[in-house]
Amino acid sequence: KNCLMCKARISVGMIILTLGPGGVLLVCALGRYRHSASPRQALFVVLEAVMFAGPVLLGSESLQAALLDVSGGKKCWWRHCARAFVAIAFVEELLKYWVLRRILYSSRVVDACAVVLYGFAAGLALALAEDAGLIFRLLVDDSSQRSALDEYGSPMALGGNFLSLPVHASCATLTAVELALAKFKGLGSDGPTSILRATILHGIFALLCMPENPSD
């Protein structure tokens, strides 16, 4: 019972840490760019990104498990880097890019501000999807209360969860800016290379939030 209550408190905390700041920021962004996009259009982008996030996050988990098998379960620096920059950052940023690229040349994008707003919405959606996955894993985990606290409620995990929204939103916004420049200014490219800066930033964040320390 105590373990269940512990998991419930952590789950509620994770939801508040994402929905609270995320909702406030999205409302502020919609107010700032109300002439570029409507709340309905932004919500559509959020729902679309959430819908595609499930398979993508499962693929990311599978890739991380494959890296662990290749390394024989040992802690090593190259597996940590590959997990952070490839299995997590690259896969998730590619999803945001795909969602944004699909609507870049649609009637929903009237100016560069709309692209940036949709980028923030896509970042919020992925943060929500990640939290939903973590909460699901937490609730179905039969480990002891101590294990649940160590894995899901440690200061590092909670700190990473608190920063998950701004990092996802910032990375998606970086990609959105690249796409907006390509469409409206003719600068850069609207291809997958537009996620390079976002992938590097996201990868560094993921590497710093990993609880275990790599060894040679």
Side-chain angles (χ1 to χ4, degrees):
K1 183 178 179 181
N2 290 335
C3 184
L4 182 61
M5 290 299 297
C6 170
K7 293 179 179 182
R9 288 196 297 268
I10 295 174
S11 299
V12 172
M14 292 170 65
I15 293 173
I16 293 175
L17 284 175
T18 302
L19 284 181
V24 171
L25 291 174
L26 185 58
V27 169
C28 292
L30 285 170
R32 174 65 177 83
Y33 301 119
R34 60 185 179 275
H35 299 299
S36 300
S38 67
R40 180 181 178 182
Q41 292 170 327
L43 181 60
F44 181 82
V45 173
V46 171
L47 294 177
E48 185 178 22
V50 168
M51 180 178 65
F52 291 113
V56 170
L57 291 177
L58 286 176
S60 175
E61 291 286 343
S62 300
L63 186 54
Q64 293 179 57
L67 288 172
L68 182 62
D69 291 339
V70 169
S71 62
K74 298 179 180 179
K75 299 177 181 179
C76 50
W77 66 268
W78 69 263
R79 182 177 68 84
H80 277 62
C81 291
R83 179 185 174 193
F85 287 93
V86 180
I88 297 177
F90 175 74
V91 171
E92 294 180 3
E93 294 308 318
L94 194 61
L95 167 65
K96 300 174 195 174
Y97 163 80
W98 186 75
V99 171
L100 292 172
R101 183 64 178 77
R102 289 183 70 246
I103 64 175
L104 183 63
Y105 294 99
S106 70
S107 58
R108 284 183 286 170
V109 177
V110 296
D111 56 22
C113 293
V115 184
V116 175
L117 177 60
Y118 293 148
F120 177 84
L124 172 62
L126 199 60
L128 289 173
E130 275 192 346
D131 277 358
L134 288 174
I135 290 172
F136 176 78
R137 289 166 54 194
L138 176 61
L139 293 178
V140 300
D141 186 9
D142 293 328
S143 60
S144 65
Q145 181 178 0
R146 179 64 182 174
S147 300
L149 278 172
D150 289 343
E151 185 172 357
Y152 302 103
S154 64
M156 179 64 75
L158 290 178
N161 180 261
F162 180 75
L163 294 174
S164 175
L165 172 62
V167 169
H168 275 299
S170 299
C171 292
T173 302
L174 281 175
T175 300
V177 169
E178 293 284 345
L179 295 177
L181 287 173
K183 177 178 180 178
F184 295 101
K185 296 291 186 180
L187 302 174
S189 169
D190 60 359
T193 54
S194 58
I195 69 172
L196 179 60
R197 290 191 297 174
T199 301
I200 293 174
L201 175 62
H202 193 165
I204 293 174
F205 171 75
L207 192 62
L208 293 175
C209 287
M210 289 182 181
E212 65 269 21
N213 296 317
S215 58
D216 294 332

